[in-house]
Amino acid sequence: QVTLVESGGGLVQPGGSLRLSCAASGSIARINDMDWHRQAPGKQRELVARVSRGANTNYADSVKGRFTISRDNTKNTVYLQMNSLKPEDTAVYYCKADGTTIWGRSFVSWGQGTQVIVSS
């Protein structure tokens, strides 16, 4: 079993910054991609950013130049630095990881979500 726990959400004014963290734990042998997704009220969940094990990244067009995803493989942790936040960034943010357990089985795990509210 692999568990992901997010932290760092909250209320911030437009133009402000937040840093989200997500730590994976459990029977992990290897983590491949680590993602951040978000879901705003009444909308579908969308991919915000992805980082591969080798630190290759890609971003949704709506966050390019404002958000930065990074990871620490020694801590099985992924981060999302969010700058120049806009009201439309308001959503529940979820991290996701895929990889292999110590028993050789593939896994895909999601965190429980952390709320980000951008409002004055």
Side-chain angles (χ1 to χ4, degrees):
Q1 182 178 359
V2 176
T3 302
L4 303 183
V5 178
E6 300 110 334
S7 61
L11 173 65
V12 63
Q13 292 187 341
S17 297
L18 281 176
R19 188 189 194 215
L20 306 182
S21 299
C22 172
S25 63
S27 307
I28 300 168
R30 175 187 175 93
I31 298 178
N32 298 321
D33 291 342
M34 300 187 83
D35 307 345
W36 286 98
H37 297 246
R38 68 186 179 187
Q39 187 165 20
K43 295 188 177 181
Q44 289 189 329
R45 191 173 297 189
E46 64 174 351
L47 174 65
V48 175
R50 172 169 290 155
V51 58
S52 70
R53 183 172 182 82
N56 294 313
T57 59
N58 56 67
Y59 297 90
D61 288 343
S62 58
V63 307
K64 283 180 181 177
R66 300 188 298 121
F67 290 10
T68 302
I69 190 171
S70 61
R71 64 189 282 176
D72 183 337
N73 290 333
T74 66
K75 297 180 180 179
N76 288 333
T77 299
V78 62
Y79 306 96
L80 187 68
Q81 178 66 44
M82 305 186 293
N83 298 329
S84 303
L85 282 160
K86 305 175 181 180
E88 51 264 43
D89 295 317
T90 295
V92 177
Y93 284 71
Y94 299 89
C95 65
K96 172 176 167 278
D98 66 84
T100 309
T101 67
I102 59 175
W103 295 289
R105 294 187 175 182
S106 298
F107 72 86
V108 178
S109 293
W110 289 84
Q112 82 285 354
T114 186
Q115 178 74 58
V116 171
I117 299 173
V118 184
S119 174
S120 55

